[in-house]
Amino acid sequence: YQNLLQEIEQYELRAGLVKAQGPGVTVDFMTGDPEQFKNLAINYDLLISVINKLNAAGAEGIAINEERITLLTDIRYDQGNLYVNNNPIGKTVQIKAVGDPDTLEATLNMKYGILWEIKNNFNIKSKVEKRDTVELPKYTQDIEFKYTEIQD
């Protein structure tokens, strides 16, 4: 019974269904100017690239502002707002990732890497900070499978 409960907890953690914490990094995008935020929001694929780089570097959990990134997460720009998991995230952008802080930071700060590209091609500065504790929110959307079923 205890083993089953521990296994369920691990699956909930991996699916983002529970709050989580651990060492990692935060990435703050300096979008104080409304035009800079709009530029980042319109080019939201850059945020997706940052998430992909963090995943490739071994991040065990990621969030944008207070929205947990999962397999079901959608990121989009619509009528001046940036949406993550169908929720507007406001006019500031912070990405939080749990994992090896040194590896995550090195991956993001790589010369000619994604943050370099965002700064030099889109004029949006960012700041990466290693943290002993990064807190991730839980994924709050309902998970419903319409087409997928378990195969024997």
Side-chain angles (χ1 to χ4, degrees), residues 20-126:
Q21 69 177 18
V25 297
T26 59
V27 184
D28 290 295
F29 291 92
M30 311 306 179
T31 56
D33 176 6
E35 283 302 310
Q36 284 182 327
F37 174 79
K38 183 178 177 184
N39 196 15
L40 183 61
I42 289 171
N43 295 288
Y44 64 89
D45 58 310
L46 297 169
L47 296 174
I48 295 170
S49 293
V50 172
I51 291 166
N52 287 340
K53 297 296 182 191
L54 289 166
N55 278 324
E60 296 177 356
I62 301 173
I64 297 181
N65 291 5
E66 290 305 311
E67 292 295 329
R68 185 75 169 264
I69 305 300
T70 71
L71 293 173
L72 302 172
T73 294
D74 67 312
I75 300 173
R76 64 185 168 81
Y77 173 78
D78 188 27
Q79 298 180 357
N81 291 313
L82 184 61
Y83 292 86
V84 179
N85 295 330
N86 290 320
N87 295 313
I89 64 163
K91 299 296 181 192
T92 62
V93 178
Q94 181 184 64
I95 296 178
K96 299 182 271 188
V98 170
D100 179 348
D102 294 326
T103 302
L104 298 175
E105 180 195 37
T107 297
L108 293 175
N109 284 331
M110 189 180 309
K111 189 170 185 179
Y112 303 112
I114 186 62
L115 294 183
W116 182 92
E117 178 185 343
I118 292 170
K119 178 183 176 189
N120 290 287
N121 295 338
F122 296 89
N123 197 30
I124 299 168
K125 295 177 183 174
S126 59

Side-chain angles (χ1 to χ4, degrees), residues 124-148:
I124 299 168
K125 295 177 183 174
S126 59
K127 178 180 175 186
V128 180
E129 285 188 39
K130 293 190 278 187
R131 304 271 176 124
D132 291 332
T133 304
V134 174
E135 294 181 2
L136 301 175
K138 69 179 186 175
Y139 182 75
T140 58
Q141 305 292 316
D142 291 332
I143 298 175
E144 181 181 322
F145 292 97
K146 295 178 184 176
Y147 306 102
T148 306

